[in-house]
């Protein structure tokens, strides 16, 4: 089988040139006589990889000097616990906007340790929009204000950030990291699981403002303590060495594309092709209000479950895989992360047009 166009929400497509490079270096990394997988994380060769990866994160995201960059394990989901334990220990209070399952899970975990104020929710319309926020409802003494900036399952994205004043804004950017330019200085913390835009599953990138580190609760497990990971350069224990190596290759690829701004332009072009089609089609409809549409995850439906199932089946046979929507919402979803080539989106739209004509 040839390589397919993989529209999975994650883990998802990686640039083919990155996979090829990893394959070329698999058995003998740069003539050092071993695979990166076999290397001690304390070796000079590996030190160059992890330091190079951090330098690329800082360069590509323009990370200010007063932010720490960490490569952690435990998935993005561990951050749902680490954030309240480390950053919610002053007034033991946070504000959260519930825009889908991942924000809800973050709220549920935070509630185990601190007071959580749900500022708004879009559950009333199956999370198909980002709620308009009323600043007067924000807690002035919250330790942080939490959002999920791109909602992988529902396909919504914040195009305007909440104005939280002195309260640090924390965002889960798992499904949009490095897909568009983000001003890191507007946030107290950003984090992202790697398995969509950065590399294989197993690494979580955390970018945290220095003053928010070092005030963890006494109950915080050592492995959940940001300060410990900062003090040890993400090497308190064995880091996910191979995942960080592939992340570095992906970041080099982003740099080759012209950096995040250039990748954003391409992503906007890709998303426009699909949204324009959805807006003109009589059969397929996008599910998200136009002003909150994600560039990365695009859910759509025909309005007929049988037709949806037929589309998912036939598209798979034609080489467009993983288009089935999340089990909680049904329909279809095309995740078009950085590594999805524009040709993949164009080919999908052509396939959808053909399917529409054949199934009128
Ligand atoms: N946040 C978002 C926005 C996600 O899409 C996901 C799942 N891919 C998670 C958190 C959870 O990530 P993980 O499976 O790495 O814990």
């Amino acid at each position: 089988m040839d390589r397919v166009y993989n529209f999975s929400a994650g883990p998802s497509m990686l640039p083919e040139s990155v996979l090829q490079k990893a394959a070329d270096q698999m058995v003998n990394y740069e003539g050092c006589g071993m695979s990166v997988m076999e290397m001690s994380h304390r070796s000079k060769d590996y030190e160059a990889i992890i330091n190079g990866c951090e330098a690329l994160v800082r360069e590509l995201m323009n990370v200010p000097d007063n932010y720490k960059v960490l490569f952690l394990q435990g998935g993005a989901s561990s951050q749902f616990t680490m954030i309240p334990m480390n950053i919610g220990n002053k007034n033991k209070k946070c504000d959260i906007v519930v825009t889908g399952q991942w924000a809800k899970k973050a709220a549920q975990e935070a509630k185990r340790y601190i007071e959580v104020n749900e500022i708004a929710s879009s559950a009333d319309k199956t999370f198909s929009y980002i709620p308009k926020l009323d600043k007067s409802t924000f807690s002035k003494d919250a330790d942080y204000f939490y959002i999920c900036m791109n909602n992988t399952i529902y396909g919504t994205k914040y195009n305007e950030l909440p104005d939280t004043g002195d309260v640090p804004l924390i965002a889960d950017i798992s499904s949009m990291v490095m897909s568009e330019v983000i001003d890191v200085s507007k946030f107290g913390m950003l984090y992202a699981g790697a398995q969509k835009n950065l590399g294989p599953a197993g690494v979580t990138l955390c970018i945290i403002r220095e003053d928010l580190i070092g005030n963890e609760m006494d109950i915080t497990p050592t492995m959940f303590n940001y300060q410990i990971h900062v003090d040890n350069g993400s090497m308190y224990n064995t880091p996910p060495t191979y995942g960080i190596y592939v992340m570095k290759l992906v970041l080099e690829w982003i740099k080759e594309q012209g950096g995040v701004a250039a990748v954003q332009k391409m992503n906007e072009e890709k998303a426009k092709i699909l949204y324009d089609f959805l807006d003109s089609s009589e059969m397929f409809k996008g599910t998200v209000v136009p002003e909150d549409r994600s560039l990365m995850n695009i859910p759509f439906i025909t309005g007929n479950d049988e037709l949806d199932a037929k589309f998912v089946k036939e598209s798979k046979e034609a080489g467009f895989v993983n288009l089935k929507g999340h089990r909680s919402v049904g329909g279809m979803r095309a995740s078009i992360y950085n590594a999805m080539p524009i040709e993949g989106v164009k080919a999908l739209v052509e396939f959808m047009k053909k399917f529409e004509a054949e199934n009128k």
Side-chain angles (χ1 to χ4, degrees):
M1 194 196 216
D2 288 335
R3 275 180 65 77
V4 292
Y5 288 124
N6 179 5
F7 293 90
S8 166
S12 40
M13 272 182 107
L14 290 175
E16 203 171 329
S17 61
V18 165
L19 296 176
Q20 201 53 58
K21 187 157 187 191
D24 293 345
Q25 297 183 330
M26 172 67 78
V27 176
N28 191 347
Y29 174 76
E30 291 189 350
C32 77
M34 63 178 84
S35 171
V36 174
M37 271 186 239
E38 301 170 301
M39 244 176 223
S40 162
H41 56 295
R42 310 275 176 210
S43 65
K44 279 266 165 297
D45 284 318
Y46 194 74
E47 209 176 292
I49 291 171
I50 193 167
N51 291 343
C53 190
E54 175 173 344
L56 280 163
V57 170
R58 288 188 175 277
E59 178 185 343
L60 290 167
M61 291 185 73
N62 200 13
V63 178
D65 289 343
N66 63 325
Y67 286 72
K68 297 293 185 195
V69 173
L70 297 176
F71 303 104
L72 302 181
Q73 301 190 61
S77 298
S78 289
Q79 296 311 310
F80 302 162
T81 308
M82 288 178 80
I83 291 166
M85 278 192 165
N86 286 267
I87 306 181
N89 195 28
K90 216 194 269 165
N91 295 326
K92 298 206 164 42
K93 192 190 272 193
C94 74
D95 285 353
I96 296 191
V97 183
V98 177
T99 50
Q101 272 194 24
W102 301 115
K104 199 163 134 195
K105 285 190 173 160
Q108 278 166 349
E109 281 302 305
K111 271 181 208 158
R112 294 170 184 271
Y113 311 103
I114 62 176
E115 183 186 332
V116 173
N117 298 308
E118 191 181 304
I119 294 296
S121 164
S122 47
D124 60 335
K125 290 184 182 157
T126 331
F127 301 114
S128 58
Y129 68 103
I130 300 287
K132 296 271 172 288
L133 302 178
D134 172 3
K135 210 178 149 179
S136 72
T137 62
F138 298 4
S139 315
K140 297 214 169 21
D141 57 346
D143 289 334
Y144 61 91
F145 190 108
Y146 182 98
I147 59 170
C148 180
M149 201 162 156
N150 186 81
N151 295 278
T152 324
I153 297 173
Y154 306 94
T156 58
K157 181 184 71 133
Y158 283 79
N159 287 308
E160 199 185 316
L161 292 174
D163 175 7
T164 62
D166 291 336
V167 174
L169 180 61
I170 297 184
D172 176 352
I173 55 167
S174 294
S175 47
M176 66 176 290
V177 60
M178 299 216 198
S179 67
E180 62 180 84
V181 175
I182 288 181
D183 181 351
V184 176
S185 72
K186 291 209 162 80
F187 296 84
M189 173 178 174
L190 292 164
Y191 73 94
Q195 64 269 28
K196 299 157 199 311
N197 263 338
L198 299 177
V203 194
T204 307
L205 171 67
C206 295
I207 303 173
I208 316 172
R209 215 174 64 205
E210 276 169 356
D211 60 290
L212 299 175
I213 301 168
N215 185 38
E216 69 284 345
M217 295 177 183
D218 291 340
I219 57 161
T220 306
T222 306
M223 280 295 289
F224 271 26
N225 183 342
Y226 293 133
Q227 184 72 61
I228 291 284
H229 293 292
V230 166
D231 291 346
N232 292 279
S234 300
M235 293 223 225
Y236 170 71
N237 69 327
T238 317
T241 51
Y242 198 77
I244 293 169
Y245 155 74
V246 178
M247 187 190 291
K248 177 168 175 275
L249 296 183
V250 171
L251 300 183
E252 286 166 355
W253 175 83
I254 293 175
K255 195 171 166 180
E256 275 165 30
Q257 308 308 300
V260 176
V263 166
Q264 174 175 351
K265 203 160 156 274
M266 186 51 84
N267 286 333
E268 284 166 352
E269 210 177 307
K270 277 153 51 182
K272 185 171 186 313
I273 293 169
L274 191 44
Y275 283 125
D276 281 353
F277 172 68
L278 291 173
D279 290 342
S280 68
S281 165
E282 281 178 17
M283 177 182 281
F284 297 103
K285 294 272 164 288
T287 56
V288 170
V289 298
E291 63 271 24
D292 299 328
R293 286 169 164 177
S294 165
L295 289 179
M296 297 283 99
N297 311 98
I298 306 188
F300 55 94
I301 50 169
T302 64
N304 174 330
D305 290 348
E306 268 171 42
L307 206 53
D308 286 354
K310 186 167 190 256
F311 177 79
V312 170
K313 182 171 175 285
E314 290 183 13
S315 59
K316 186 177 173 197
E317 285 159 8
F320 305 97
V321 307
N322 290 319
L323 280 166
K324 196 167 189 292
H326 188 270
R327 58 192 181 281
S328 66
V329 283
M332 283 74 71
R333 170 179 50 169
S335 294
I336 51 172
Y337 296 117
N338 289 351
M340 171 61 69
I342 192 164
E343 293 75 26
V345 180
K346 285 181 180 163
L348 173 64
V349 167
E350 285 314 306
F351 180 82
M352 290 167 80
K353 282 182 186 162
K354 186 165 147 279
F355 184 89
E356 183 166 352
E358 287 169 3
N359 292 276
K360 265 202 177 124

